[in-house]
Amino acid sequence: MNHKHLAEPTVSTEKIFEGKIISLYVDTVTLPNGKQATREIVHHPGAVAVLALTEKDRVILVRQFRKPCDRTLVEIPAGKLEPGEDPAECAKRELLEETGYTAKEWRHLHSMYTSPGFADEKIHLYLAKGLTKGQQELDADEFLDLMEADMAEAERLLASGEIADAKTMVALYWWMKERAKAEK
Amino acid sequence: MNHKHLAEPTVSTEKIFEGKIISLYVDTVTLPNGKQATREIVHHPGAVAVLALTEKDRVILVRQFRKPCDRTLVEIPAGKLEPGEDPAECAKRELLEETGYTAKEWRHLHSMYTSPGFADEKIHLYLAKGLTKGQQELDADEFLDLMEADMAEAERLLASGEIADAKTMVALYWWMKERAKAEK
């Protein structure tokens, strides 16, 4: 189904800013009622995130400072796509760089828009199992603390708000749902 | 814990754009290694989202056109905070406006950053039960299709990619996890 009765075709587009990571546009669109409106749109290259589970069913996490939130957050490993990069390759690269882990089994779980009201950022979420620990390969300007948590500890981090980003919640609730189903 | 070894204090901040919904800043920060770097930061007023479940354990959904993604998405009801608005009040207002439902039972589930790498948007997620159907009160320039799904249909919408936004996935996986736990 096209759902054309909801579409907002573009009348004109104005580029406001092009940065190192994001760019910003203001589009004028035609609404379904024929009126015009503006839409503020952030373009982002897209990213990957990895739910990496150890043999003991523990999740690999990283703590990072997130300037927009002015605090540290505990998140699953993640990173931006390089131009033209395949998301599955990016997931392997980011897991290795941020955590030192490589994984034997990879599975694409979902691709998700994080803020569809104002941004096109799409995160490709992967499950990684069969982990082998090697050396982190952080960028010179990347700083993070590596962590590991079992499900009870992950629940505590969710309840305390130390885990408070949407992609990590999607991954952890998926994991908890799968475990609860398996235990039925 | 402060995790001060990860912090990125601000050296200077430059305002690039102030729009109707978002604004954009480029901050210069000091990294933990003493070097300077820039951070592109989108400010957003914050939002609410509502996992509204009927007596028959069906979820209320809305289909909307999302210009940044250039497609429609099926999402849980959601909307931006007005200046100074209490998130719990906003959740009640948005559920009524978008779907016509009021709810007897409300519970705050989580507050989540949607894109902590480049935006401060925080979505407050609520569970709403004890629903009564009334009249939608859409804004003049708001267009959406109201839907309802049981859990199997929600799983189908996730698998097909019609549901593809992070807040809706967090809400649905939370629901599925709770149901699976209850059935153990």
Side-chain angles (χ1 to χ4, degrees):
Chain A
M1 284 183 290
N2 276 319
H3 308 290
K4 278 191 183 164
H5 63 291
L6 298 171
E8 298 178 353
T10 305
V11 175
S12 63
T13 182
E14 184 191 357
K15 185 178 199 162
I16 304 291
F17 173 78
E18 178 153 4
K20 289 189 301 175
I21 296 170
I22 58 175
S23 55
L24 175 65
Y25 291 77
V26 176
D27 280 15
T28 301
V29 302
T30 304
L31 298 174
N33 62 6
K35 287 189 197 170
Q36 291 198 351
T38 57
R39 296 283 178 255
E40 297 157 8
I41 300 173
V42 173
H43 288 286
H44 183 281
V48 300
V50 183
L51 175 64
L53 299 176
T54 69
E55 273 185 57
K56 292 183 175 167
D57 205 26
R58 293 165 67 84
V59 61
I60 308 299
L61 297 168
V62 294
R63 183 189 295 276
Q64 278 175 281
F65 187 79
R66 293 301 204 171
K67 189 63 188 174
C69 314
D70 199 28
R71 54 169 287 198
T72 64
L73 289 172
V74 175
E75 305 174 34
I76 57 172
K80 287 180 295 294
L81 288 164
E82 302 289 347
E85 189 176 26
D86 176 59
E89 289 307 312
C90 181
K92 287 173 194 171
R93 179 176 61 73
E94 287 289 349
L95 183 65
L96 177 64
E97 288 178 5
E98 290 199 344
T99 74
Y101 280 101
T102 51
K104 281 200 196 70
E105 300 165 49
W106 286 90
R107 177 176 154 200
H108 176 253
L109 293 179
H110 272 299
S111 294
M112 66 184 102
Y113 294 103
T114 52
S115 300
F118 69 91
D120 66 357
E121 185 192 31
K122 198 174 197 175
I123 293 187
H124 307 276
L125 175 63
Y126 291 85
L127 174 66
K129 292 174 105 169
L131 303 182
T132 304
K133 181 80 171 113
Q135 278 298 312
Q136 264 176 313
E137 300 172 5
L138 292 178
D139 293 340
D141 291 347
E142 195 171 25
F143 304 90
L144 53 81
D145 288 353
L146 191 56
M147 299 166 61
E148 214 183 282
D150 63 14
M151 195 173 285
E153 174 68 3
E155 278 172 344
R156 198 194 64 74
L157 290 164
L158 279 163
S160 73
E162 288 173 275
I163 290 177
D165 78 301
K167 69 177 176 306
T168 301
M169 288 186 187
V170 169
L172 295 183
Y173 283 149
W174 180 88
W175 178 38
M176 292 171 186
K177 160 185 90 79
E178 290 296 302
R179 163 105 63 102
K181 275 182 166 178
E183 288 174 354
K184 271 208 286 194
Chain B
M1 285 184 289
N2 276 318
H3 309 289
K4 278 190 182 164
H5 64 290
L6 298 171
E8 298 178 354
T10 305
V11 176
S12 62
T13 182
E14 184 191 357
K15 185 177 198 163
I16 304 289
F17 173 78
E18 178 153 3
K20 289 188 302 175
I21 296 169
I22 58 175
S23 55
L24 175 65
Y25 292 76
V26 176
D27 279 15
T28 300
V29 301
T30 304
L31 298 174
N33 63 5
K35 286 190 198 171
Q36 292 198 350
T38 57
R39 297 283 177 255
E40 297 157 7
I41 301 173
V42 173
H43 287 286
H44 183 281
V48 300
V50 183
L51 174 63
L53 298 176
T54 70
E55 272 184 60
K56 291 182 176 167
D57 205 25
R58 294 165 65 85
V59 61
I60 308 299
L61 297 168
V62 294
R63 183 189 294 276
Q64 279 175 280
F65 187 78
R66 292 302 203 170
K67 188 65 187 172
C69 314
D70 200 29
R71 55 169 286 200
T72 64
L73 290 172
V74 175
E75 305 173 35
I76 57 173
K80 286 181 295 296
L81 288 164
E82 301 290 346
E85 189 176 27
D86 175 59
E89 289 307 312
C90 181
K92 287 173 193 171
R93 180 177 61 74
E94 286 290 348
L95 182 65
L96 177 64
E97 288 178 6
E98 290 199 344
T99 74
Y101 280 101
T102 51
K104 280 199 198 71
E105 300 165 49
W106 287 89
R107 178 176 153 198
H108 176 255
L109 293 180
H110 272 299
S111 294
M112 65 183 105
Y113 294 104
T114 52
S115 300
F118 69 90
D120 66 356
E121 185 191 31
K122 198 174 198 177
I123 293 187
H124 308 277
L125 175 64
Y126 291 85
L127 173 67
K129 293 174 105 169
L131 303 182
T132 305
K133 181 80 170 114
Q135 277 299 310
Q136 264 176 312
E137 300 173 6
L138 292 178
D139 293 341
D141 291 347
E142 194 170 25
F143 304 90
L144 53 82
D145 288 353
L146 191 55
M147 299 167 61
E148 214 183 282
D150 63 14
M151 196 173 284
E153 174 69 3
E155 277 172 346
R156 198 193 65 73
L157 290 165
L158 280 163
S160 72
E162 288 174 275
I163 290 176
D165 78 303
K167 70 178 175 303
T168 301
M169 288 186 187
V170 169
L172 294 183
Y173 283 148
W174 179 88
W175 179 37
M176 291 170 187
K177 159 185 91 75
E178 290 296 303
R179 163 103 65 98
K181 276 181 165 178
E183 287 173 355
K184 273 207 283 193

